[in-house]
Amino acid sequence: MVSFFPSVVILVIMALGIVSGLPFVFVLGGTAVIATALFWGWNALPQMVFQSYKVLEDFVFVAIPLFVLMAMILHRARLIEDMFDMIYKWSGPVRGGLAVGTELICAVFAACTGIAGGTETTMGLVAMPNMRKYKYDLRLAAGTVLTGGTLGQLIPPSILMVIFGLVANVSVGQQFAGGIAAGMILVTLYISYILIRSFLNEGIAPALPLEERASWREKFISLKQVILPLILILMVLGSVFTGVATPTEAAGMGVAGALLSAIILKRMSWELFREATISTMRVSAVIGWIVVAASAFTNVFIIAGGEQFMHSILTLLPGGKWGVLISSQLMLFILGMLLETVAIILICAPLFTSIMVSYGFDPVWFALLFMVQMQMAYISPPFGYSLFYLYSVAPKDVTMDDLYRAAWPFIGIQGVALAIFIIWPNTILWLPKLIFR
């Protein structure tokens, strides 16, 4: 155990930093600096800095601000409100229809943007009031928005997948392909849950009154509102899957498509562009600093024997390689309740992926399991980001306890999906194998 002493010291320093309430980026960077000085001396600090910043030189990293900019433009061009209006017209006559429609819209918007947060707050402002207006159960409505808003973590072009590929050296394109299958299975499970609950309890999610239902003419006219998002999805993902463009080049095409969509809808303005670019710079700067700090921490931790230390922890459960896999999933679930998702990826992805590959597991498959865990992390009490996003825009009578209770059934569904993906890997690997064989 003596050889694990530096690793334990590093984790203790990080834990003390987290408990102190410091921003996590400072905790990671500060831990790396203290550990370097403590074990290798102050003269080793320049080398740590150079190694940490090298991660930003990777061409794949450029995709992150581009995908963020695409999302910000689409969010401010109000495409999500247009799509909700279309779904509202088509799903109104069905019990639970508005909740089902919310999940479908979130899936489409996730495929346009690749991030959570914006979808969460927008649907909280648009979908939640409508579901409450028609007497939907508060927790069902809130849970629907919580899970739908986080689909951007899994459905491509997911920014988290780009970061995972960057730090763990796993194909972003293959993750994107697997994310489509995984995302569709999760959406199907969410919708099935909503419809079953609505069927068993009519009062939990009633259909719209007859007088408020749209005519067939209004329904078909509303379909034009999904044309631009679908073209954008095909342009971005199609270019990656056909090999026409790299994920970074596809992100640039996505920005051009988002700008063109805003122009076609006559919503493009200097103010929209200014707000979108400023928001993009803020989000990208935060991600960039977290990447640098986490890279420094991970490099120091690995040099200190952290990979062997993590391997020893993961092998605590019996069962050979499957015990290691289950241990990793349990550890990720616990970390997801406490830490920010980008930080978890930057710290755990390179370590865990290396260990899983050594046991013969497919790195793309493990990356997709990791992404499902990150989606769970976004809605897991007590610190899931989506809980706070939704709480910030929810009606005043909605409490944080309501959101905590709303999240758990859907976390259970995500757990079922995770079990399916572990037991039957080809449910999410068939598309990457088909496209990238």
Side-chain angles (χ1 to χ4, degrees), residues 320-340:
K321 70 176 187 178
W322 294 104
V324 172
L325 178 68
I326 293 171
S327 295
S328 72
Q329 299 305 307
L330 291 173
M331 191 178 297
L332 288 173
F333 181 74
I334 294 170
L335 289 174
M337 299 175 72
L338 303 172
L339 302 181
E340 200 272 335

Side-chain angles (χ1 to χ4, degrees), residues 140-155:
L140 179 67
T144 299
V145 175
L146 283 171
T147 51
T150 60
L151 286 169
Q153 310 284 49
L154 186 62
I155 296 177

Side-chain angles (χ1 to χ4, degrees), residues 79-112:
L79 261 73
I80 196 167
E81 289 94 330
D82 292 345
M83 287 190 287
F84 185 80
D85 180 66
M86 183 274 293
I87 291 291
Y88 172 88
K89 289 181 169 65
W90 280 90
S91 64
V94 181
R95 285 188 201 173
L98 295 182
V100 170
T102 298
E103 292 288 2
L104 292 174
I105 292 166
C106 289
V108 173
F109 206 68
C112 292

